[in-house]
Amino acid sequence: MDNDKIISDITEKWNARKEHLTSLFHNRDKSAVKVPMDEAIDAFLTFLFVMNGKRPPDKEIFQDDLIGLEYKPINLDERLSFILKKPNQYHSFVQLNELYLELLKLYAKMKIRKYKK
């Protein structure tokens, strides 16, 4: 499967997950948030690493792998750390959504640069 297809699938799934998570947080159903947040975090990491031409690492030990990535959102380490520590908090969801948006912009810039070369 090519990287563009993987990233397109992740983006589509995030849009559906985002609506579901918004509803769960709106209803204050924190117990039901954990699984979709974990899935969204895993998908974000896959997007991040595939975009950088790397194989996604294990979620438990990926921190060291972030250092060598060419394309990544600003302050990714701290932001991701916060999300992973408190995935059932609304602010983690907001932060994850921002990371997805920033990564999509970086991906678009990357594609434009590659097209121009």
Side-chain angles (χ1 to χ4, degrees):
M1 187 180 266
D2 81 69
N3 290 351
D4 289 335
K5 176 69 174 138
I6 292 169
I7 290 171
S8 174
D9 289 348
I10 289 171
T11 303
E12 283 181 36
K13 286 178 184 169
W14 169 244
N15 290 329
R17 261 192 205 114
K18 183 171 56 172
E19 287 183 32
H20 178 63
L21 283 163
T22 299
S23 172
L24 292 174
F25 279 110
H26 180 76
N27 294 327
R28 300 189 189 285
D29 192 355
K30 285 192 175 186
S31 62
V33 166
K34 176 121 176 68
V35 172
M37 275 296 285
D38 283 345
E39 292 170 351
I41 293 165
D42 287 343
F44 173 81
L45 290 171
T46 299
F47 182 172
L48 177 68
F49 280 87
V50 165
M51 180 178 128
N52 280 280
K54 298 185 185 265
R55 192 169 164 270
D58 183 358
K59 189 169 90 171
E60 305 305 316
I61 56 169
F62 72 90
Q63 293 281 7
D64 292 339
D65 297 315
L66 294 177
I67 296 165
L69 298 180
E70 182 178 354
Y71 300 101
K72 61 184 175 184
I74 296 170
N75 297 328
L76 178 64
D77 301 358
E78 297 86 10
R79 295 160 77 186
L80 209 46
S81 230
F82 173 79
I83 293 167
L84 290 170
K85 285 178 188 163
K86 302 174 183 187
N88 61 340
Q89 286 192 359
Y90 180 70
H91 292 295
S92 294
F93 166 64
V94 170
Q95 194 61 242
L96 185 60
N97 185 47
E98 290 302 315
L99 286 173
Y100 265 102
L101 292 172
E102 289 175 39
L103 201 58
L104 282 167
K105 289 176 190 174
L106 285 171
Y107 184 65
K109 283 183 191 177
M110 182 189 86
K111 297 292 286 181
I112 289 169
R113 283 185 186 144
K114 284 186 177 180
Y115 179 75
K116 286 184 176 181
K117 287 185 180 181

